Amino acid sequence: MSFQISLLCSDPEAGSSPEPLLHINFWEPSVSFRNDEFMGFPMTTLSCELQPRLRDGTARLLRWDADDHDGWWTYTLRLTEVNSLEDVRKLISVPVGQLLENTTAGKTMLETLSAVVCYKTVDDHPDYYRVIF
């Protein structure tokens, strides 16, 4: 489990976010910019099941297909929405617990949280996705 904060970014290769983001990741490696292990793009081997949601801009939980990445996920919050201990519980602790227990139910829970951003495919940039609020 790792967390990453991404500050303001207008670069389509980095997700084009006009505000700070908090990425919550469940991956094997720890976030390491030195070793190119971080939430960023290009992002390959995303789940085939996820592709329609990426095309229509409704993908809230990024998942991977590859055998060595099966079960990995990331979701992203608008950092400005995390302002209190109750927000940490509601937006991080409870969803992470649900995702670890039952990924499908956790994915459904993320649909109810307006602080969770969606991702959409960037035209003409394979494996790049922009943030949708």
Side-chain angles (χ1 to χ4, degrees):
M1 177 70 60
S2 63
F3 300 90
Q4 176 186 327
I5 293 175
S6 296
L7 299 177
L8 306 178
C9 178
S10 62
D11 181 355
E13 294 179 356
S16 295
S17 176
E19 62 183 82
L21 301 173
L22 173 63
H23 308 286
I24 295 102
N25 310 308
F26 183 66
W27 305 336
E28 178 76 24
S30 298
V31 168
S32 170
F33 292 98
R34 181 177 294 144
N35 296 326
D36 289 332
E37 296 289 349
F38 57 89
M39 175 59 183
F41 304 101
M43 191 175 300
T44 59
T45 67
L46 286 176
S47 166
C48 294
E49 174 186 307
L50 181 63
Q51 297 307 315
R53 295 184 69 104
L54 285 166
R55 283 191 294 276
D56 69 18
T58 61
R60 289 180 183 254
L61 182 67
L62 302 179
R63 307 255 343 251
W64 284 263
D65 266 343
D67 291 339
D68 58 341
H69 300 123
D70 188 38
W72 291 11
W73 48 259
T74 291
Y75 74 95
T76 302
L77 298 169
R78 298 169 68 179
L79 187 58
T80 57
E81 297 292 321
V82 184
N83 297 302
S84 67
L85 185 55
E86 182 56 33
D87 292 340
V88 170
R89 286 184 186 114
K90 181 178 106 180
L91 300 172
I92 301 170
S93 299
V94 172
V96 165
Q98 185 67 61
L99 285 161
L100 292 172
E101 185 177 313
N102 179 324
T103 308
T104 302
K107 183 173 104 174
T108 301
M109 173 186 253
L110 293 179
E111 301 293 326
T112 68
L113 301 174
S114 62
V116 177
V117 304
C118 294
Y119 284 92
K120 181 173 176 48
T121 304
V122 175
D123 295 335
D124 302 323
H125 286 76
D127 302 322
Y128 290 78
Y129 309 96
R130 65 183 165 96
V131 172
I132 305 290
F133 295 103

